[in-house]
């Protein structure tokens, strides 16, 4: 039996037909990657939100400290 080197033309591959893979899917950039990216974007947004809250709290504490030092 001959073996095909083309992933989209699997001659001699057992188990029936295989799904044609797009170029992105062959590089592991398929639809599942979009979900991973979305999850990563959500995590990043949450982290940025927390960092901004900490910065505001630190800024508020810094201003309160300056007010007491001036009086």
């Amino acid at each position: 039996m001959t073996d095909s080197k083309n992933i989209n033309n699997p001659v001699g591959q057992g188990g029936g037909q295989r799904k044609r893979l797009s170029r992105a899917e062959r590089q592991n950039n398929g639809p599942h990657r979009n979900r991973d990216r979305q999850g990563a974007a959500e995590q990043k947004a949450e982290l940025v939100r927390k960092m901004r809250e900490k910065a505001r709290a630190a800024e508020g504490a810094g201003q309160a400290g300056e007010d007491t030092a001036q009086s």
Side-chain angles (χ1 to χ4, degrees):
M1 238 187 247
T2 60
D3 290 327
S4 174
K5 294 188 184 214
N6 182 352
I7 189 104
N8 290 328
N9 186 17
V11 175
Q13 301 284 334
Q17 294 197 354
R18 295 172 67 182
K19 176 183 177 242
R20 285 191 63 143
L21 298 174
S22 69
R23 186 174 181 184
E25 287 172 330
R26 278 184 264 145
Q27 295 173 350
N28 287 330
N29 296 338
H32 62 279
R33 184 164 186 240
N34 295 334
R35 285 192 301 269
D36 293 342
R37 281 183 167 179
Q38 186 177 15
E42 289 171 1
Q43 284 180 338
K44 183 178 178 182
E46 182 69 16
L47 181 63
V48 169
R49 184 186 63 78
K50 287 180 181 178
M51 289 175 66
R52 286 184 179 154
E53 286 177 0
K54 283 185 181 180
R56 284 187 191 131
E59 185 178 297
Q63 287 178 354
E66 291 173 6
D67 292 342
T68 56
Q70 289 178 356
S71 25

